[in-house]
C-alpha cells in the first residue's frame, strides 16, 4: 500500500510540473503577435487549407524575411 501511495504522489508531482510547463507555453503563445508558437520551428505558422476546418503548418513565401533575401 505504501508503494502505491508513493507512486501516486510521484505521478501527481510529474503532472503538476507538466501543468506548469503548459501554463508557461500558454503565456508565451498569448504574448506572440499572431497568438501561435511552434515548438519545432519558430518560423512556421498554422495556415488554413481549402479543406473544411483543416490546416497545415508551413511557411508563407511572402514572409518579411524572404523579401529581404530577394
Amino acid at each position: 500500500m505504501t508503494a502505491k501511495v508513493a507512486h501516486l504522489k510521484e505521478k501527481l508531482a510529474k503532472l503538476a510540473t507538466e501543468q506548469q510547463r503548459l501554463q508557461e507555453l500558454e503565456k508565451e503563445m498569448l504574448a506572440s503577435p499572431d497568438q501561435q508558437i511552434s515548438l519545432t520551428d519558430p518560423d512556421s505558422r498554422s495556415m488554413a487549407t481549402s479543406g473544411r476546418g483543416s490546416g497545415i503548418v508551413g511557411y508563407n513565401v511572402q514572409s518579411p524575411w524572404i523579401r529581404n533575401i530577394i
Side-chain angles (χ1 to χ4, degrees):
M1 186 71 154
T2 305
K4 188 174 185 176
V5 170
H7 175 70
L8 289 175
K9 285 184 178 181
E10 182 180 315
K11 204 171 185 179
L12 284 172
K14 286 181 182 180
L15 287 172
T17 302
E18 180 66 8
Q19 184 177 17
Q20 179 66 31
R21 186 183 76 84
L22 291 173
Q23 287 173 344
E24 290 172 11
L25 282 174
E26 180 183 32
K27 287 178 189 176
E28 183 182 336
M29 179 198 67
L30 293 174
S32 69
D34 52 0
Q35 294 192 338
Q36 51 178 296
I37 57 173
S38 174
L39 301 178
T40 55
D41 185 354
D43 293 328
S44 64
R45 293 290 175 259
S46 178
M47 301 169 68
T49 60
S50 59
R52 188 171 169 161
S54 66
I56 60 167
V57 176
Y59 305 93
N60 184 349
V61 295
Q62 297 176 4
S63 294
W65 64 273
I66 294 283
R67 278 190 246 143
N68 291 335
I69 295 172
I70 298 174

